[in-house]
Amino acid sequence: MRVYLFIITFFTALGTFAQQQEIDFDAVDSLYREDQFYLNITYNALQKRPFGINQNKLSPGIAFGFLRDMPINKKRTFALAAGLGCSVSVYNQNLRITEEAGTYSYQVPDENTSFVKNKLSLYTIDLPVEFRWRNSTPESHIFWRVYTGFKFSYVFYDLYKSEGSAGTVAISNNKDVNQFQYGAYVAAGWNTWNFYIYYGLNPLFKSSAKIDNQSIDMNTANFGLMFYIL
């Protein structure tokens, strides 16, 4: 009987304490952090293309990941952020790649060659680092932002697929693909909608990839939208 009485008394006291110490979930968080997760959708444009190389279809890209927001001023309008993500970048173009006994060859197709599909897909692990400005407040998560940064990417898988009048080709893990990619970017906008531009600072291929003894120095410029999530 004493045990039951103790239990009833304990939970009654606990309930009274909880009512007195009720948590206000609508309270202002003066130590808030912004934009911890991101989703990025882009169009990928090849730059410095060799003569005769063209993009013939939409070349999409998608990326997502996590960024740790680290405010550096009292108002928390300036911050640094570093994170980890992954992405898939597709390049639809007419560069023909063949492989024989571990040796890769690259050709500009002639006018009699047609493609149903000819694309290079890169799968990467991304390490973005950002400097951030926003006019956010503890009371509102709707604000203007300008985030500029630098992204390091590691290509852990690449796949080239071609179907057309010259036959069908599938090549993965091409040793001429530059596994380490890096570039600068900026994301700016209001609330949900943020425009995004990335410019790759090194080529997609190593210097060993050549057309008529000329290195393929193509890099990428990506244009699209960035969505940030708390």
Side-chain angles (χ1 to χ4, degrees):
M1 184 67 180
R2 291 181 180 179
V3 174
Y4 291 124
L5 182 60
F6 172 78
I7 293 173
I8 293 172
T9 303
F10 174 79
F11 281 104
T12 301
L14 183 63
T16 303
F17 177 78
Q19 290 177 354
Q20 293 175 349
Q21 303 294 326
E22 183 177 356
I23 299 174
D24 183 2
F25 290 100
D26 295 322
V28 173
D29 180 9
S30 62
L31 299 179
Y32 67 93
R33 298 178 187 271
E34 295 289 2
D35 302 339
Q36 303 279 52
F37 295 91
Y38 68 88
L39 172 66
N40 178 218
I41 300 172
T42 60
Y43 165 72
N44 305 325
L46 290 170
Q47 309 297 301
K48 303 178 183 178
R49 298 189 303 268
F51 180 78
I53 299 301
N54 301 302
Q55 290 186 260
N56 45 27
K57 292 181 180 179
L58 180 68
S59 296
I62 186 169
F64 61 91
F66 173 81
L67 282 156
R68 180 62 169 173
D69 188 74
M70 296 172 283
I72 57 176
N73 68 329
K74 186 175 181 180
K75 290 185 177 181
R76 307 179 85 77
T77 52
F78 291 96
L80 299 176
L84 178 67
C86 59
S87 61
V88 180
S89 300
V90 177
Y91 301 92
N92 285 296
Q93 33 67 45
N94 63 342
L95 174 66
R96 181 163 173 78
I97 306 175
T98 57
E99 184 267 336
E100 185 176 352
T103 300
Y104 301 92
S105 300
Y106 305 84
Q107 301 91 27
V108 177
D110 59 38
E111 58 184 12
N112 297 319
T113 301
S114 61
F115 294 105
V116 175
K117 176 191 299 181
N118 195 78
K119 66 179 182 179
L120 175 66
S121 302
L122 304 181
Y123 299 78
T124 64
I125 298 295
D126 304 321
L127 299 173
V129 179
E130 293 181 354
F131 175 77
R132 296 176 157 191
W133 171 85
R134 65 280 181 113
N135 64 348
S136 59
T137 67
E139 293 81 9
S140 175
H141 298 294
I142 300 175
F143 51 84
W144 290 99
R145 63 169 65 78
V146 178
Y147 296 168
T148 182
F150 203 81
K151 183 173 71 172
F152 301 89
S153 298
Y154 174 73
V155 180
F156 66 88
Y157 183 71
D158 61 85
L159 178 63
Y160 167 76
K161 282 188 175 181
S162 179
E163 297 176 10
S165 59
T168 300
V169 177
I171 298 172
S172 61
N173 296 321
N174 184 341
K175 294 179 181 179
D176 287 338
V177 170
N178 220 333
Q179 283 191 292
F180 292 96
Q181 304 283 330
Y182 54 89
Y185 66 89
V186 61
W190 163 258
N191 196 19
T192 302
W193 297 97
N194 301 276
F195 294 101
Y196 174 87
I197 300 174
Y198 167 88
Y199 189 82
L201 297 177
N202 68 326
L204 295 177
F205 291 93
K206 298 176 183 177
S207 59
S208 53
K210 300 178 185 292
I211 297 177
D212 296 331
N213 292 321
Q214 295 293 319
S215 295
I216 303 172
D217 293 327
M218 292 189 301
N219 63 328
T220 183
N222 304 341
F223 308 90
L225 295 173
M226 177 72 87
F227 301 94
Y228 288 104
I229 307 167
L230 290 177

